[in-house]
Amino acid sequence: MARRAFHIWILETPRAYQSLQVHWSLWVPLIVNAGVAELNRSVYGPSTNRAMEKNMGSKDSQGGTQGDTGTLGEHRAPDDRSKLKRAFERSHVMSIHLNAIGIIATVWYGFVLSSRIEFKD
């Protein structure tokens, strides 16, 4: 429905398509925002979740560990634990940075839109 409304707007509004081609500054922040959102959704979000699940699944409330087999009392080597922690931190930090880039692109888009407002007396 929204796609159809967009196509109708493009077809019925004079110079609408032409204005989209001329004002590249309208599309750049939207493309950046969509790109980082998709990257976060498809790559870094699931990676962060997997790393967090592995990290949390490797310990229980008594300080022991719970391995993939579900047995308690297995102790992971410190290297494994630090690798899991580093993997989570790396994915989480990248996700945070992508969100920050998306926020900056949204603010940029807001400035671009607000600069196009024309007040007529």
Side-chain angles (χ1 to χ4, degrees):
M1 182 91 173
R3 178 179 266 178
R4 186 167 189 260
F6 180 72
H7 288 298
I8 290 171
W9 174 77
I10 289 291
L11 295 175
E12 293 180 358
T13 307
R15 299 180 304 152
Y17 182 70
Q18 188 179 30
S19 71
L20 292 177
Q21 289 180 342
V22 172
H23 299 290
W24 62 269
S25 62
L26 286 174
W27 286 99
V28 171
L30 292 176
I31 290 172
V32 167
N33 203 350
V36 297
E38 180 60 29
L39 194 61
N40 202 357
R41 183 186 73 83
S42 62
V43 177
Y44 291 102
S47 173
T48 302
N49 285 338
R50 278 192 304 271
M52 181 181 62
E53 289 169 358
K54 286 181 183 177
N55 197 7
M56 294 313 240
S58 67
K59 62 182 179 180
D60 66 358
S61 61
Q62 293 141 0
T65 60
Q66 182 175 1
D68 296 334
T69 61
T71 59
L72 293 174
E74 295 176 346
H75 293 285
R76 288 184 185 255
D79 291 340
D80 291 342
R81 185 85 171 127
S82 63
K83 285 180 186 177
L84 290 173
K85 189 174 179 182
R86 273 195 308 259
F88 171 73
E89 288 173 351
R90 189 176 303 122
S91 297
H92 193 245
V93 165
M94 191 62 187
S95 180
I96 290 170
H97 282 94
L98 288 174
N99 286 333
I101 292 169
I103 290 170
I104 291 168
T106 302
V107 170
W108 177 17
Y109 185 65
F111 278 116
V112 169
L113 288 181
S114 66
S115 70
R116 294 181 54 140
I117 294 176
E118 296 177 7
F119 296 103
K120 296 181 180 180
D121 293 328

